[in-house]
Amino acid sequence: MKRVMTYILLLALFSSLLPINGYAANYEERIVTVFEDGSYLTATVIEMQSRASGTKTGSKVSNYYAEDGTLLWRATLTGTFTYTGSGSTCTSSRCSVNIYNSAWYTISKSATKSGNTAYASVTMGKKLLGVTVSQIPASISLKCDANGNLS
């Protein structure tokens, strides 16, 4: 029985490492901004498989970490693009925020598009005893080239 449980746990572990639902990160998470207090923002591009040729949907995820590496919040820009081999256009753009520490809240967020690029602007605030003690802005952009490559 212990051997069967071990195999089941190993199978669950390995299957959790595989991309699901057609999502696959095409870049490693990289640090884009380091703040004076040691906290930092990262960016990762995620491509979603499309069934339609000439269409691409993807996201750029911006994670905000405390100096000790604790994830405090995440802003995600999702864009849909059409591409032809000679050009590309952003057809939709949206932004979402996930908060992992209750001291943080969303001050503002917006998403726009222009040409072949999706844009998001997010400002997050941190409250201490009911008073906003810091604000962190995040500007995110996701671009699609003529061949459907996201950056």
Side-chain angles (χ1 to χ4, degrees), residues 84-135:
T84 62
S86 60
S88 62
T89 303
C90 180
T91 58
S92 73
S93 172
R94 70 180 188 277
C95 178
S96 63
V97 173
N98 297 92
I99 297 172
Y100 302 102
N101 180 291
S102 61
W104 289 89
Y105 68 101
T106 304
I107 294 173
S108 66
K109 69 176 182 172
S110 64
T112 59
K113 59 186 173 66
S114 178
N116 65 343
T117 307
Y119 298 96
S121 178
V122 174
T123 302
M124 300 296 292
K126 179 181 181 181
K127 284 191 177 181
L128 183 61
L129 300 173
V131 177
T132 300
V133 293
S134 66
Q135 293 184 16

Side-chain angles (χ1 to χ4, degrees), residues 66-84:
E67 181 182 17
D68 66 1
T70 303
L71 177 61
L72 301 175
W73 52 263
R74 168 179 295 145
T76 303
L77 167 65
T78 301
T80 300
F81 305 86
T82 57
Y83 60 95
T84 62

